[in-house]
Every structure is written in C-alpha cells, then in structure tokens.
C-alpha cells in the first residue's frame, strides 16, 4: 500500500505535489513525500538531487567570481563561459530551493515558480553550450578577425538570444501552460503538461543537432590546418598527429559528455507517460544535472588563465610577470 492510500484512509489531505511528482496512481509511489507527516521519510532521490545542486552551485560560483573579478578575462570566450557558469549556478540553486520548498512549504504557486526557474536555468545552460560552440567555430573560421568588435557584437546577440529564450520558456508554466487544472494533461514532470515538455525536448534535440554539425565542421577545420602545416614543413611529424588526435578526442569528449547527460532524459520526456513509475524520471534526470557539474571542469578549470586567477585568489603565491593576452578558443 502506498503513502497516498494511507493518507486517504486516515482522512488526511494530500500535500501539494512536488514539481517532479505525478498524480497518484495504483502501484506507483509519489516522487515527493511531505515532511509534515513525521512517519514519512525523505525521498533518497530528492536528497541526491539536492546534493548534486549543492556541488553544482559551489563549482560554478567560483567560476563566476573568478571571471567577474579578473579584468583580463573579458574576451568573448570568457564572457560565454561566464554565461554558462551563471546558468549552471542558478540551476544548482534551483535544485536546492526545490528540495527546501518541497519539504517545508506546500504551495502550488511556489511549485510553479520553482519549476519555471529550473526550466529557465537549464535551458540557459544548454543554450550557452551552443553559444560556446558557435564561438569556437568562429574563432577557427575567422581566426584573423576574431578579436574584432564584430565578434563581441555577435557574442552580445547570442547572450540576449540565449537568456531571452530561456526566460520565455521558464515563464510558460507560471503563465498558465501547466496541468494544475487538468491532471490528465500532466507529463512525467509535474506541473508541466505534456505539450510543454515536448517543446522543451524538441528544443534540446535541435540544439544538440546544431552542436553536432558545428563540431563536425570544427574537426574538418582542425584536420585541414594540420594538413596545411604538414605541407609547409614537407612532412607530418608525430607531434602534429598527436596534437590533431588530441583536439579531435577533446571534441568527442565534450559532445559525448553532453549527450550522455541529457539524451536519456530528453528521450524519456518524449516517450514517457505520467502513469510510469517515478523512478524512471529520477534515473534520467539525475545524470542530466551532472552535466552542469562537469561543465566548469571542461570549460573553465582546464583553462590556464582561469587556473592562474584561482591561484592568485586562493593562494596568493602566484605572481604574474607582466601582462598576458587571453587566448582565443582556436588557440586553446
């Protein structure tokens, strides 16, 4: 007998559902359990999501602070990395707040605001990854003019588009595109209705396809550059082969990590039904949050300029000798 049946028999009212909770169905446990009833335990999946959010927030808060307080990190590449870190920071905070509100406050309004905040944050994170991919492609395709004002203009346009679209998608549940009035339209992620979740999943696949296309073009440019260098030097050295292989491997790791994190959840959003056990939703959503945990490692902490800034901020033992120019993505 599940918790819903126990509440009904005792005559107690069922608390407001969490943003991941589906309506009560036979043989299905609810995703979120209220802490108001002492005999009920906190869902372990919710604890893992909260812990994931805590790690995400801490990692990305450092990146945001480093970029904000370091004047030399102002070129387009670091602006986009800062956008990605900000989005992931907000996503981590959203996971923490969702856990707190879910077990401390029972309110449909707060549930809508929380899910809208998370949708906007994760959408901004994924869109920022696409913007970084575009920036890397431009840095290779237009290497000679990359540091011009035109590039900075493109970056600002991408930022406006990224955060504008993310905010718009995040506001949809709050403005009425939800299933609170009609439980039959609920998706695997309550209170989002199935149409809303389908739009979000389709948007992800479009972004993922664009990233695949751009990274394929980047690989072609990298291999072409390596071939040109080999022709100029009349032979293809081992170092050239190793560098080219390393560059292609890095791109494969970036795409593989992103796909492995988000594809299971995106696919389940399209094929899953609200009657399915909630464990399937948790099992696909949790890896998706790991992408925001890995992003600062791939895009920030491996960068030498950010490493130098971290040493200066926390250790105070690294002294720079003169000024240095931030490298472009193509140089990285």
């Amino acid at each position: 007998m599940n918790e819903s049946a126990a509440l009904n028999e005792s005559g107690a009212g069922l608390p407001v559902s969490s943003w991941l909770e589906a309506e009560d169905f036979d043989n299905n446990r609810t995703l979120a359990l209220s802490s108001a009833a002492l005999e009920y335990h906190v869902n372990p999946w919710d604890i893992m999501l909260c812990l994931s959010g805590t790690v995400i927030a801490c990692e990305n808060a450092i990146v945001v602070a480093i970029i904000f307080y370091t004047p030399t990190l102002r070129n387009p590449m670091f602006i986009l990395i800062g956008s990605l870190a900000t989005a992931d920071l907000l996503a981590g905070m959203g996971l923490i707040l969702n856990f707190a509100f879910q077990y401390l406050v029972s309110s449909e309004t707060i549930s809508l605001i929380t899910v809208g905040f998370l949708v906007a944050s994760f959408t901004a994170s994924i869109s920022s990854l696409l913007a970084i991919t575009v920036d890397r492609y431009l840095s290779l395709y237009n290497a000679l003019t990359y540091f011009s004002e035109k590039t900075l203009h493109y970056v600002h346009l991408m930022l406006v588009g990224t955060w504008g679209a993310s905010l718009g998608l995040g506001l949809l549940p709050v403005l009425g595109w939800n299933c609170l009035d009609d439980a039959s339209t609920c998706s695997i992620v309550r209170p989002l209705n199935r149409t809303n979740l389908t739009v979000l999943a389709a948007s992800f696949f479009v972004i993922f396809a664009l990233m695949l296309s751009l990274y394929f073009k980047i690989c072609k440019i990298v291999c072409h550059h390596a071939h040109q260098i080999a022709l100029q030097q009349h032979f293809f050295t081992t170092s050239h082969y190793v560098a080219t292989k390393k560059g292609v491997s890095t791109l494969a790791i970036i795409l593989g990590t992103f796909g492995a994190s988000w594809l299971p959840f995106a696919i389940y959003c399209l094929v899953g039904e609200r009657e399915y056990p909630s464990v399937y939703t948790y099992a696909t959503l949790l890896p998706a949050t790991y992408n925001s945990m890995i992003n600062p490692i791939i895009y920030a902490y491996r960068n030498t300029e950010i490493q130098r800034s971290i040493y200066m901020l926390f250790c105070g033992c690294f002294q720079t000798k003169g000024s240095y120019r931030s490298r472009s993505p193509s140089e990285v």
Side-chain angles (χ1 to χ4, degrees), residues 157-171:
L157 288 178
M158 286 192 292
L159 288 177
V160 171
T162 293
W163 287 95
S166 301
L167 182 60
L169 290 174
L171 286 175

Side-chain angles (χ1 to χ4, degrees), residues 41 53 76 95 97 118 131 133 177 184 189 194 204 219 246 267 273 282 313 327:
H41 299 290
L95 291 172
L97 291 175
L118 285 167
T133 307
W177 207 0
S184 62
V189 180
R194 186 164 180 80
F204 164 80
C219 285
K246 183 179 179 181
I267 294 173
E273 299 290 343
Y282 276 118
L313 178 64
R327 298 179 297 168

Side-chain angles (χ1 to χ4, degrees), residues 18 41 55 82 101 121 265 274 295 297 316:
S18 75
H41 299 290
V55 176
F101 291 147
S121 300
F265 182 67
R274 62 193 179 99
N295 282 339
I297 298 175

Side-chain angles (χ1 to χ4, degrees), residues 156-238:
H156 290 160
L157 288 178
M158 286 192 292
L159 288 177
V160 171
T162 293
W163 287 95
S166 301
L167 182 60
L169 290 174
L171 286 175
L172 289 179
V174 181
L175 296 178
W177 207 0
N178 56 67
C179 65
L180 294 181
D181 295 330
D182 186 3
S184 62
T185 63
C186 283
S187 66
I188 59 171
V189 180
R190 194 179 187 276
L192 296 181
N193 59 31
R194 186 164 180 80
T195 304
N196 193 345
L197 197 61
T198 300
V199 170
L200 293 175
S203 300
F204 164 80
F205 284 112
V206 170
I207 291 176
F208 187 59
L210 289 174
M211 290 180 64
L212 279 174
S213 176
L214 287 171
Y215 273 122
F216 178 73
K217 293 180 179 180
I218 289 174
C219 285
K220 290 180 62 177
I221 294 175
V222 169
C223 293
H224 178 72
H225 285 181
H227 181 67
Q228 292 296 323
I229 294 174
L231 290 178
Q232 291 177 5
Q233 298 183 357
H234 305 293
F235 61 91
F236 195 78
T237 64
T238 303

